[in-house]
Amino acid sequence: QVQLVESGGGSVQSGGSLRLSCAASGSTFGSNDMGWFRQAPGKGREGVACIDRFGRTTYTDSVKGRFTISRDNAKNTLYLQMNSLKLEDTASYYCAAGSKSILLRLPSCRENEYTSWGQGTQVTVSS
């Protein structure tokens, strides 16, 4: 399994920006789908942004145009650049590793397709 450690969370005012990082250990990082998920208090976990080894991305509608997922396979690191943050972006953010990327299928952001998870990092957006 891949070991994942998130960093970069914090408190920010509405309209601000944060960049999350996820350091991964293990030789399979460069081959697999990777994703960012979030869970707000009292809500279920949702897929925010996912990326495959080919660099193709998937975003949930609420973050399109504001968030950018990227990966550096040489550094075994996944990123999430979050701009124009809104109050509703407040949540714990989790990095996750999924299955091996397949060219014929766009990266999945379905939670049950991800098998390794980080411990999470808190993002709090205030007015």
Side-chain angles (χ1 to χ4, degrees), residues 40-84:
K43 295 187 177 180
R45 191 151 55 184
E46 68 165 338
V48 176
C50 298
I51 186 170
D52 66 11
R53 67 184 179 105
F54 309 110
R56 299 178 302 179
T57 57
T58 301
Y59 295 93
T60 192
D61 286 347
S62 63
V63 308
K64 285 180 180 177
R66 300 189 298 121
F67 290 11
T68 302
I69 187 172
S70 61
R71 65 193 296 169
D72 185 335
N73 290 338
K75 295 182 178 180
N76 274 15
T77 304
L78 181 72
Y79 303 100
L80 184 67
Q81 178 66 44
M82 304 185 295
N83 298 329
S84 302

Side-chain angles (χ1 to χ4, degrees), residues 7-58:
S7 61
S11 297
V12 64
Q13 287 193 321
S14 179
S17 298
L18 283 174
R19 188 194 197 200
L20 305 183
S21 298
C22 173
S25 63
S27 59
T28 60
F29 175 85
S31 301
N32 291 17
D33 287 359
M34 296 294 299
W36 287 100
F37 294 75
R38 66 185 179 186
Q39 186 167 20
K43 295 187 177 180
R45 191 151 55 184
E46 68 165 338
V48 176
C50 298
I51 186 170
D52 66 11
R53 67 184 179 105
F54 309 110
R56 299 178 302 179
T57 57
T58 301

Side-chain angles (χ1 to χ4, degrees), residues 101-115:
S101 298
I102 301 172
L103 188 60
L104 295 179
R105 185 196 71 172
L106 289 174
S108 166
C109 258
R110 286 189 288 271
E111 183 180 352
N112 62 3
E113 296 190 16
Y114 286 76
T115 55

